[in-house]
């Protein structure tokens, strides 16, 4: 009977995927409002323009940049540290990406504040 070997850990795409995490959130000085058009290297969907004044567009743009950034410069150019802190709990991100960022920035791992009554 033949045995089927499972691939070793790290051979799955999810384990090999490279994510960029900046040294400091204070370095993120991207736009905070208006319309932006991401570089094709970050968003090749054909509709890479986002209205940052629209909460849904803002969320999708941040998710896209976090997932596709190839360098800290990409993050610094497109993300804003204060905005990121505010929207972090609502972003849909791969578990490993979220863990990498929260390991570096403990303030992102804190549960969202309860709504005032």
């Amino acid at each position: 009977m033949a045995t089927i070997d499972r691939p070793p850990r790290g051979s799955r795409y999810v384990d090999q995927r490279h994510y960029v995490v900046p040294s400091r959130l204070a370095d993120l000085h991207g736009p905070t409002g208006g319309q932006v058009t991401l570089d094709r290297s970050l968003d090749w969907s054909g509709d890479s323009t986002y209205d940052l004044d629209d909460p849904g567009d803002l969320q999708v743009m941040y998710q896209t940049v976090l997932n596709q950034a190839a360098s800290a410069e990409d993050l610094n150019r497109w993300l804003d540290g204060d905005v990121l802190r505010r929207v972090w709990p609502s972003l849909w991100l791969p578990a490993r990406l979220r863990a990498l960022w929260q390991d570096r920035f403990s303030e992102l791992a804190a549960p969202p504040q309860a709504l005032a009554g």
Side-chain angles (χ1 to χ4, degrees):
M1 175 185 248
T3 60
I4 300 173
D5 291 328
R6 298 191 118 187
R9 181 155 176 78
S11 64
R12 299 178 309 156
Y13 176 78
V14 70
D15 296 324
Q16 295 179 14
R17 176 76 166 89
H18 174 74
Y19 295 113
V20 180
V21 180
S23 299
R24 302 174 331 136
L25 289 179
D27 293 337
L28 305 178
H29 293 290
T32 59
Q35 297 225 344
V36 299
T37 302
L38 292 178
D39 297 336
R40 205 157 192 55
S41 62
L42 294 171
D43 187 339
W44 53 92
S45 70
D47 185 15
S48 57
T49 299
Y50 298 89
D51 178 357
L52 300 185
D53 297 319
D54 176 271
D57 268 12
L58 176 73
Q59 181 176 347
V60 171
M61 192 275 267
Y62 269 63
Q63 291 168 179
T64 300
V65 172
L66 288 163
N67 274 290
Q68 301 303 324
S71 67
E73 290 75 28
D74 286 338
L75 299 171
N76 297 344
R77 178 178 178 197
W78 296 110
L79 303 181
D80 179 80
D82 291 335
V83 173
L84 180 65
R85 283 182 196 90
R86 181 172 47 91
V87 301
W88 182 259
S90 65
L91 296 178
W92 184 88
L93 300 168
R96 191 166 148 269
L97 182 143
R98 185 175 290 279
L100 290 168
W101 279 72
Q102 290 180 177
D103 286 348
R104 171 120 357 127
F105 306 111
S106 59
E107 66 264 39
L108 296 178
Q113 302 240 338
L115 296 175

